[in-house]
Amino acid sequence: MRTRYGRSQMFINWREQKIVAGMFELIERPLRRILDVPSGHGRFTPQLRAAASEGLVCGDISVERLKALVDAESVEGPPIETVEIDLFKPLPFDTGEFDLIFNFRFFQHIKREELRDQLIEELARVCKRYMIVSFYEKTAIHSWQKRYWRRAGHKRTMPMPSREQFFGLFEKQGCRVMAHRGVIPGVHAQRIVLFEKDNQIS
Ligand SMILES: C[S@@+](CC[C@H](N)C(=O)[O-])C[C@H]1O[C@@H](n2cnc3c(N)ncnc32)[C@H](O)[C@@H]1O
């Protein structure tokens, strides 16, 4: 049978979902409303929907992806709302509207620091309590790899902050790290972080 993803992508997908499931164990319920941005075509929709007691909002800039997401979902379960959204603009949601914000595989694509910082501020604004976020972490092996690729003539590099730098950006917005895991430690740069917002600060 032909599959949409290669074996390595399927393994990474499995690891990501397993880590996210582990993080859900650490989170206090109920989670009334969850926001998944960007949702893509809904890789995490079943997992997030199962956790949301009142509803899941999925936002993405791609209308086609949002349509694919809805088409793939069952009619059973809490309602799903889809929103066409540009994450580089102010989010069309109220302050503290969502118990959990889910932001996956997006930060590594943001090249400009001011856009990254602005997005973190907006995610923290609409967040009531928890955030699960993934990012590509700069480690010694990846710095070496980047230097090698550049010497070999590759121009495109992904923006990769260190773990401390990335956590610091969220701490500035009153979000503390509850847990973090590497998707495939030592091999894959992606790290998944669970933050809790300290509502005493903001
Ligand atoms: C790598 S996919 C990740 C999707 C999903 N979070 C996942 O892990 O499967 C990146 C997604 O970002 C969306 N995207 C790109 N630029 C965007 C923007 N400015 N605002 C909102 N979504 C955007 C793309 O349409 C795509 O679905």
Side-chain angles (χ1 to χ4, degrees):
M1 187 180 82
R2 280 173 67 86
T3 54
R4 183 179 172 139
Y5 300 111
R7 272 175 206 277
S8 63
Q9 269 307 309
M10 280 169 69
F11 178 68
I12 290 169
N13 184 50
W14 173 78
R15 279 284 303 158
E16 289 172 332
Q17 290 181 346
K18 194 163 181 292
I19 292 170
V20 169
M23 288 180 170
F24 271 121
E25 303 276 308
L26 305 175
I27 287 176
E28 238 178 70
R29 307 304 170 101
L31 294 170
R32 289 185 187 84
R33 278 165 67 73
I34 296 180
L35 174 68
D36 179 15
V37 280
S39 58
H41 55 76
R43 252 176 359 112
F44 289 90
T45 306
Q47 219 173 345
L48 296 175
R49 203 176 174 198
S53 61
E54 286 178 15
L56 171 65
V57 177
C58 297
D60 201 284
I61 205 162
S62 159
V63 179
E64 292 75 26
R65 285 181 188 216
L66 291 173
K67 186 176 179 313
L69 179 156
V70 172
D71 290 348
E73 270 301 301
S74 125
V75 288
E76 307 291 326
I80 305 177
E81 192 186 317
T82 56
V83 188
E84 190 186 339
I85 218 169
D86 183 350
L87 286 170
F88 298 133
K89 295 193 173 148
L91 299 178
F93 305 114
D94 291 338
T95 297
E97 186 171 335
F98 297 95
D99 297 298
L100 174 86
I101 310 286
F102 192 80
N103 176 276
F104 227 80
R105 290 197 189 181
F106 191 69
F107 274 106
Q108 66 262 32
H109 300 295
I110 308 178
K111 300 243 160 35
R112 285 167 48 197
E113 279 181 21
E114 71 271 23
L115 291 179
R116 181 197 62 192
D117 297 354
Q118 184 187 303
L119 175 59
I120 294 174
E121 203 178 323
E122 270 300 275
L123 293 177
R125 181 184 68 77
V126 300
C127 172
K128 188 169 180 188
R129 181 125 188 225
Y130 300 108
M131 272 197 246
I132 296 179
V133 176
S134 84
F135 77 107
Y136 273 34
E137 172 184 35
K138 185 179 183 175
T139 58
I141 186 163
H142 292 113
S143 304
W144 176 85
Q145 228 173 29
K146 265 187 171 182
R147 275 201 299 277
Y148 175 80
W149 282 335
R150 257 186 243 125
R151 262 189 235 133
H154 294 275
K155 287 206 179 70
R156 283 190 60 200
T157 54
M158 283 185 175
M160 289 163 99
S162 71
R163 174 182 316 189
E164 293 73 21
Q165 284 166 338
F166 193 74
F167 293 173
L169 296 169
F170 283 77
E171 276 155 17
K172 260 191 359 206
Q173 300 302 328
C175 302
R176 72 171 181 99
V177 175
M178 275 182 77
H180 57 99
R181 302 273 307 274
V183 171
I184 311 175
V187 177
H188 197 288
Q190 192 179 203
R191 218 166 174 84
I192 303 174
V193 195
L194 168 63
F195 293 99
E196 183 176 25
K197 186 170 167 186
D198 181 352
N199 285 306
Q200 309 301 314
I201 293 176
S202 50

